[in-house]
C-alpha cells in the first residue's frame, strides 16, 4: 500500500531533475551540516547528492537510514566525486550549473530565466571558501540575499523558489512510515 494520493503525482509535477553537489566538506567538522544539505536535497525534490573530494560513510549511512524509513529510494548519494568531472558531465548533457553564493546575482532577478531555460540543474553549494573556477564554470552564480548564512538555507530557498512550494507536498511512495499532520501531537503511522 502507498500512503500517497493517487490523483496527484508531485514527483512528476517537479518537472525538472535537480542534483546537488556539495564542495569543501571537512569530515568531522562539517558532518552535521553536510548531512542537512543532503536531507534538504532529498526532502525538497532533488534526485542526487554528490559529495566532492572526500568519502564520509557516516553521511551516506544516515541518509540511507532516513530513506529506508521515510522513503525516496530513487535518491542517489555519491561521495568522493571529482567535482569538475561531475560538472563537465552534467554540462555535456545540457544541464544548467547553478552555484549558490552570496556574491552572485539575486535569486529574484534570475529565477525566471533559470526556470524557463533549465530542464536539468546541478546546484553547487560550498563550505568555507569556494575556488574561483566554480564561479567561472557555473552558468549562474545565485545569491539568496547578499549576506552570509548557510548552505542548508540557501539550498532550501533555491529549491522552494524553483518549484514554488509544490515540493513541500512531495510524498514518497516507498515510505515505511508516514506522518498524520497534527496541531499538537506527534502522530506517526506505519504503512500496512
Ligand atoms: N562566503 C560564502 C559565499 O560565497 O556565499 C559564505 C560561506 S557559507 C559558510 C557556505 C555556503 O553557503 C556557500 O558556499 C554558499 O553555497 C552558501 N551560502 C551562504 N550564504 C549564501 C547566500 N547569501 N546566498 C547563496 N548561498 C549562500
Amino acid at each position: 500500500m502507498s500512503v500517497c494520493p493517487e490523483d496527484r503525482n508531485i514527483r512528476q509535477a517537479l518537472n525538472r531533475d535537480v542534483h546537488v553537489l556539495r564542495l569543501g566538506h571537512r569530515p568531522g567538522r562539517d558532518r552535521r551540516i553536510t548531512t542537512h544539505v543532503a536531507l534538504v536535497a532529498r526532502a525538497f525534490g532533488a534526485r542526487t547528492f554528490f559529495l566532492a573530494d572526500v568519502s564520509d560513510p557516516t553521511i551516506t549511512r544516515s541518509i540511507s537510514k532516513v530513506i529506508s524509513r521515510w522513503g525516496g529510494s530513487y535518491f542517489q548519494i555519491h561521495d568522493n566525486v571529482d567535482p569538475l568531472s561531475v560538472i563537465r558531465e552534467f554540462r555535456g548533457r545540457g544541464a544548467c550549473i547553478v552555484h549558490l553564493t552570496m556574491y552572485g546575482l539575486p535569486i529574484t532577478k534570475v529565477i525566471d530565466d533559470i526556470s524557463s531555460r533549465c530542464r536539468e540543474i546541478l546546484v553547487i553549494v560550498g563550505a568555507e571558501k569556494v575556488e574561483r573556477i566554480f564561479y567561472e564554470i557555473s552558468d549562474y552564480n545565485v545569491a539568496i540575499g547578499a549576506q552570509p548564512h548557510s548552505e542548508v538555507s540557501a539550498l532550501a530557498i533555491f529549491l522552494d523558489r524553483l518549484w514554488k512550494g509544490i515540493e513541500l507536498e512531495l510524498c514518497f511512495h516507498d515510505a515505511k512510515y508516514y506522518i498524520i499532520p497534527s496541531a499538537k501531537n506527534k502522530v506517526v503511522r506505519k504503512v500496512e
Side-chain angles (χ1 to χ4, degrees):
M1 188 203 113
S2 165
V3 294
C4 303
E6 293 301 324
D7 57 336
R8 193 140 185 245
N9 189 338
I10 300 298
R11 192 54 272 164
Q12 264 169 22
L14 304 180
N15 56 354
R16 71 200 80 222
D17 285 345
V18 174
H19 315 271
V20 175
L21 171 61
R22 186 340 179 216
L23 305 175
H25 170 75
R26 294 154 299 180
R29 190 164 166 186
D30 291 331
R31 211 160 259 159
R32 191 170 150 80
I33 197 146
T34 299
T35 303
H36 287 187
V37 172
L39 286 174
V40 165
R42 169 193 166 274
F44 286 34
R47 288 196 164 269
T48 321
F49 176 76
F50 295 100
L51 182 61
D53 298 318
V54 283
S55 185
D56 196 335
T58 52
I59 292 172
T60 319
R61 259 199 311 273
S62 42
I63 304 304
S64 302
K65 264 195 209 158
V66 170
I67 291 172
S68 105
R69 190 174 169 87
W70 298 102
S73 48
Y74 62 81
F75 186 76
Q76 301 274 310
I77 306 171
H78 301 284
D79 69 0
N80 204 13
V81 300
D82 171 30
L84 292 175
S85 305
V86 171
I87 292 169
R88 286 190 194 108
E89 189 191 320
F90 277 94
R91 157 85 30 82
R93 63 197 221 198
C96 293
I97 314 299
V98 173
H99 170 219
L100 301 182
T101 167
M102 65 182 191
Y103 303 109
L105 297 177
I107 184 152
T108 45
K109 297 269 188 283
V110 293
I111 195 66
D112 289 347
D113 195 53
I114 294 174
S115 292
S116 62
R117 279 194 46 212
C118 305
R119 290 293 98 208
E120 187 170 26
I121 302 174
L122 178 67
V123 185
I124 304 173
V125 294
E128 280 310 297
K129 180 150 173 52
V130 173
E131 288 170 54
R132 180 82 217 140
I133 176 81
F134 295 101
Y135 290 80
E136 284 163 9
I137 208 169
S138 296
D139 299 300
Y140 299 90
N141 289 291
V142 178
I144 313 290
Q147 299 297 323
H149 44 90
S150 141
E151 43 278 53
V152 179
S153 51
L155 178 63
I157 290 175
F158 175 77
L159 294 175
D160 191 63
R161 291 290 173 103
L162 180 72
W163 280 316
K164 301 184 168 70
I166 302 175
E167 82 289 348
L168 299 179
E169 294 172 53
L170 191 59
C171 181
F172 295 100
H173 288 263
D174 54 349
K176 291 202 186 96
Y177 292 87
Y178 63 101
I179 289 167
I180 308 286
S182 162
K184 296 272 185 198
N185 296 306
K186 229 165 119 176
V187 187
V188 179
R189 298 267 185 273
K190 192 170 191 319
V191 175
E192 298 300 317

